[in-house]
Amino acid sequence: MPATDLRFPDSSLHADRSDHLTWKPLRFLTLYRLLLASLIVSLFFMLPSLSSLGGQAPWLFGSVAVLYFLFALAAGFAARRRRPAFAVQVFVQTLVDVVAILLLVHASGGVGSGLGILLVLAIAGGALLLPGRMAYFFAATASIGLLLELGYRTLDGQGIGSGDLTRTGLLGFGLFATAILASFLARRIRETEALAEQRGVDLANLARLNEHVIQRLQSGILVVDDQDRIRLINDTAWIMLGLPADHPAERLAQVSPRLAEQLAAWRADPDRTAESFQPAHGEASLRAHFTPLGRVRGAATLIFLEDAALLEQQAQQLKLAALGRLTASIAHEIRNPLGAISHANQLLAESAHLDADDRRLSEIIANHAERVNTIVENVLALSRRGRTEPQPIRLAEWLADFRDELVRCGGITPDRLTLEVEPPDLTISFDPNQLHQVVWNLVQNALQHAGTEAQPAAVTLSARRAEAGAAWLDVIDNGRGIDAEGQARIFEPFYTTAGQGTGLGLYLARELCEANRARLNYVPGRRRGACFRISFSRVPAMEAGRP
């Protein structure tokens, strides 16, 4: 499954930038040096008649050429090993380049040999890698070396040409111009690379942020190309389709044949309305919406998956929203006269002049007043529902504490409440207080409606981890289950089959589950007993590791 963690720049990005601006250019420079030294050695020893190379001092030229070739090999090896430090290598290599070329120029008869142009390339390489003062140092060293070479030949009586002084001055000027230009280019290259890197980091973070948002969407998202290959699938879609963690997700037909059929039908007729379908591995009824990503032929397709039951429930909630506000106002207004009725009835019951029939009527008034008050409290609880604060909860520990509390306060024996948690470290994300309210309501309903005189009601709380990575908690009783008509209406407000019930318990439980990004459904198909399932959302790995 795709990862949902958000990454920001780390040391590897800076290492890549360091390679791009330092070691990679240095390796190219060492390769150029090796080729240059190889060419000089080859020309000198294979073409001895070439008088321009080493014509003044052949032994010096040959010795320097061989030593320069060996140094080029050693420099290439050092650059690949990255030892010693980068600045040290550039400084030593450029300085050796300058000295070696000056000696080759001297052995070939001075700047008139044309080898002095190699100093320009050496200065340019050093200035690009070590811009600023070091670049000017290399240029000054080479210029001074040229003047010393010219002075030495003059004092030695070798004689100099009429244009040697001018060529030496122009070459020195060219070396400083090269150093200035190379330093400027190096600085601009570094600024451009830094800006490009920052923009690349921003784009990478934006892409990761978009992926993070997509993974957290409540709707399932898939992107498939024109060959039905899956390019993106978020966790919600994975869970909706009920896919195991190791299920291949290369082609849409492997993930959901029914969805692949609907996509093919939509491509043939884009105006066609997609029907709800049941995934091969999932339980929910899904509805797909298709959108092309581009107008060119063969563009990718964006698929939205939505839970059909959830859509119907949301539509129902919109209808009930106004009714909820109205009933909350009515309930608030009922409390005052209801309190007066209860208080008057309590005073009436304390009268010594009431006969048995009147006392029976007073009890009926008290019972129904209490029931109306319960309905009012439930309606107000719906309108005053507080903000959820989900926390990582280890179900095994939480359910053990819940059973102890139920045995202590609910008046049941421990053998009537069975716990099953697999794996033992199963962790979910939920508001602890609201989870307690939901599970307490489901268990009390099961204990109230299940069981017979011969067989007391018993409840099993079974928690499992789904293959897709999410988790669920089943509340299973040993009763007769719920018929088809009841299954269609059990989550409607004020629907109840019990004479003393308010019909708001399951509705409130489902509302609390949805507020915590979970779902409460009735699981049909069991031979005996009712099963209510709380399907939890996935817990991020960072949160799941907390105690």
Side-chain angles (χ1 to χ4, degrees):
M1 297 176 65
T4 61
D5 58 314
L6 186 62
R7 291 181 183 172
F8 291 92
D10 55 16
S11 59
S12 63
L13 291 176
H14 298 286
D16 291 341
R17 181 191 174 195
S18 176
D19 278 354
H20 190 64
L21 296 178
T22 56
W23 293 106
K24 287 183 179 180
L26 180 59
R27 285 196 289 269
F28 284 122
L29 184 60
T30 57
L31 178 61
Y32 156 75
R33 182 183 296 109
L34 182 60
L35 294 175
L36 176 63
S38 302
L39 180 62
I40 293 174
V41 171
S42 300
L43 292 176
F44 179 75
F45 287 102
M46 296 178 64
L47 299 174
S49 61
L50 194 61
S51 60
S52 61
L53 296 180
Q56 195 73 23
W59 63 270
L60 178 61
F61 190 95
S63 301
V64 172
V66 172
L67 292 176
Y68 189 50
F69 175 76
L70 295 177
F71 174 78
L73 290 175
F77 180 75
R80 185 164 295 276
R81 292 290 303 275
R82 300 187 181 185
R83 292 181 183 179
F86 172 78
V88 174
Q89 289 198 38
V90 175
F91 179 81
V92 172
Q93 291 179 24
T94 306
L95 197 58
V96 170
D97 287 340
V98 170
V99 173
I101 294 173
L102 286 173
L103 291 175
L104 293 176
V105 168
H106 175 71
S108 300
V111 293
S113 63
L115 294 178
I117 195 66
L118 297 177
L119 288 172
V120 176
L121 299 178
I123 298 302
L128 286 173
L129 296 178
L130 287 180
R133 295 181 179 179
M134 294 307 300
Y136 306 141
F137 170 79
F138 296 142
T141 302
S143 299
I144 294 173
L146 289 173
L147 293 175
L148 291 176
E149 190 277 334
L150 183 63
Y152 176 79
R153 285 194 297 112
T154 302
L155 295 176
D156 194 37
Q158 299 179 14
I160 59 175
S162 59
D164 284 352
L165 183 60
T166 302
R167 282 194 292 267
T168 301
L170 291 176
L171 183 56
F173 176 79
L175 294 178
F176 274 98
T178 300
I180 294 173
L181 180 60
S183 297
F184 175 76
L185 290 178
R187 184 166 59 252
R188 292 300 301 269
I189 289 173
R190 280 168 169 76
E191 292 175 354
T192 304
E193 289 287 344
L195 180 60
E197 182 212 358
Q198 183 59 44
R199 290 182 177 177
V201 170
D202 293 340
L203 290 175
N205 285 341
L206 182 60
R208 300 293 294 180
L209 179 61
N210 290 338
E211 181 181 355
H212 185 76
V213 172
I214 289 174
Q215 294 297 339
R216 294 303 182 107
L217 287 177
Q218 293 292 323
S219 299
I221 300 293
L222 295 94
V223 176
V224 297
D225 60 15
D226 58 334
Q227 301 297 323
D228 286 354
R229 290 188 296 263
I230 296 178
R231 297 305 184 186
L232 183 147
I233 178 172
N234 68 347
D235 290 349
T236 304
W238 199 282
I239 295 173
M240 283 182 171
L241 296 172
L243 301 175
D246 57 349
H247 194 282
E250 297 179 357
R251 293 190 174 273
L252 187 61
Q254 297 174 328
V255 171
S256 176
R258 291 289 306 278
L259 184 58
E261 294 175 1
Q262 289 202 4
L263 176 59
W266 172 80
R267 285 172 175 163
D269 182 11
D271 296 329
R272 178 178 179 272
T273 302
E275 301 177 354
S276 301
F277 68 97
Q278 188 86 16
H281 304 280
E283 299 178 356
S285 178
L286 304 180
R287 186 173 299 166
H289 302 277
F290 306 96
T291 302
L293 295 178
R295 298 182 179 181
V296 298
R297 184 177 181 85
T301 304
L302 176 63
I303 305 176
F304 289 93
L305 291 181
E306 295 179 314
D307 191 332
L310 185 59
L311 292 176
E312 295 175 359
Q313 182 181 350
Q314 290 174 349
Q316 183 183 15
Q317 288 177 346
L318 291 176
K319 296 178 182 179
L320 293 174
L323 178 60
R325 290 191 292 268
L326 176 62
T327 53
S329 300
I330 294 175
H332 183 75
E333 296 298 329
I334 289 176
R335 298 190 72 181
N336 292 332
L338 182 62
I341 293 173
S342 299
H343 183 65
N345 181 67
Q346 183 179 1
L347 295 176
L348 181 63
E350 294 175 357
S351 174
H353 303 289
L354 293 181
D355 55 20
D357 293 337
D358 291 337
R359 291 185 182 278
R360 175 56 183 164
L361 294 176
S362 177
E363 291 177 1
I364 294 175
I365 294 174
N367 291 336
H368 285 276
E370 182 179 357
R371 183 183 178 188
V372 172
N373 184 67
T374 301
I375 295 175
V376 169
E377 291 293 337
N378 287 335
V379 171
L380 292 178
L382 286 175
S383 61
R384 291 195 304 254
R385 189 178 66 194
R387 181 179 179 182
T388 61
E389 296 182 359
Q391 300 176 12
I393 300 174
R394 293 186 181 273
L395 274 181
E397 302 173 3
W398 189 89
L399 289 176
D401 295 339
F402 177 84
R403 179 174 60 182
D404 295 340
E405 180 182 358
L406 189 64
V407 170
R408 184 174 60 255
C409 303
I412 67 170
T413 56
D415 59 310
R416 295 175 60 189
L417 188 61
T418 305
L419 303 182
E420 298 175 356
V421 180
E422 183 64 33
D425 62 344
L426 182 59
T427 303
I428 55 97
S429 178
F430 213 99
D431 186 302
N433 294 328
Q434 294 180 357
L435 180 62
H436 185 279
Q437 185 176 354
V438 172
V439 178
W440 185 278
N441 183 283
L442 295 176
V443 172
Q444 290 293 343
N445 279 353
L447 294 175
Q448 179 181 357
H449 295 91
T452 61
E453 295 181 359
Q455 182 181 13
V459 180
T460 299
L461 298 179
S462 177
R464 293 287 187 272
R465 176 178 289 144
E467 293 181 343
W472 71 74
L473 173 62
D474 288 342
V475 180
I476 309 169
D477 61 43
N478 61 343
R480 294 175 296 179
I482 302 176
D483 56 26
E485 180 183 356
Q487 293 177 23
R489 301 188 58 190
I490 52 177
F491 293 106
E492 294 181 4
F494 303 108
Y495 173 78
T496 179
T497 58
Q500 300 297 322
T502 64
L504 289 174
L506 290 177
Y507 176 76
L508 178 60
R510 173 173 273 191
E511 290 288 312
L512 293 176
C513 287
E514 291 180 355
N516 288 270
R517 297 184 62 194
R519 290 183 298 172
L520 175 62
N521 295 304
Y522 180 80
V523 181
R526 298 181 59 86
R527 294 183 179 179
R528 183 173 180 82
C531 176
F532 288 90
R533 173 168 295 177
I534 305 174
S535 300
F536 303 99
S537 60
R538 291 182 61 199
V539 179
M542 183 173 59
E543 294 184 358
R546 299 177 185 172

